[in-house]
Amino acid sequence: MRITTALVSREVSQPQPMRVDIGDRVVVGDRDADWPAFVFVTSETGSGRVPLRYLSRSRPVAVVNTPYDTSELPTHEGDVIEVVREDRASGWLWCRSLDGRQGWVPATTLED
């Protein structure tokens, strides 16, 4: 695991996170304009952005083939953060703050 620092303050873009698991059926919406690796999906547990490659197809209904948690970790400039997992294809990193909170953070907002 690697330790990094937040370059900017960032609030979460999706306040109500959702989790999808292998085998869940989701309705697939549009690609995210800012993050093209992601599509908007709706499931029984809510809605959010999921990497398209984690789904069996692009529309209209897909089956999840990789579990995904949409939780984001808010940051403040200068926060020290531990990178737990990297998803280079999407540009996001699963991180843990010093107080134990976890979630996705855009790689571009963290120090290299």
Side-chain angles (χ1 to χ4, degrees):
M1 285 183 254
R2 129 188 126 155
I3 303 296
T4 187
T5 304
L7 297 171
V8 297
S9 295
R10 184 176 179 286
E11 295 299 320
V12 299
S13 61
Q14 183 179 330
Q16 294 297 321
M18 69 170 221
R19 179 170 172 75
V20 291
D21 290 306
I22 294 173
D24 287 354
R25 295 175 61 84
V26 296
V27 176
V28 181
D30 294 330
R31 275 194 187 260
D32 186 302
D34 296 325
W35 299 98
F38 290 87
V39 290
F40 290 98
V41 301
T42 302
S43 75
E44 291 181 4
T45 61
S47 60
R49 297 179 308 184
V50 174
L52 179 59
R53 70 185 185 286
Y54 290 6
L55 306 175
S56 65
R57 61 173 52 189
S58 61
R59 287 187 191 246
V61 176
V63 175
V64 176
N65 56 36
T66 303
Y68 193 76
D69 181 339
T70 67
S71 298
E72 294 179 38
L73 180 66
T75 59
H76 297 284
E77 184 178 352
D79 282 355
V80 175
I81 297 171
E82 177 184 16
V83 176
V84 177
R85 185 172 55 141
E86 296 187 32
D87 185 352
R88 292 186 187 274
S90 71
W92 289 69
L93 308 172
W94 185 262
C95 298
R96 181 181 302 122
S97 65
L98 293 178
D99 64 6
R101 293 174 297 126
Q102 294 189 49
W104 293 104
V105 177
T108 56
T109 65
L110 300 175
E111 188 173 59
D112 258 343

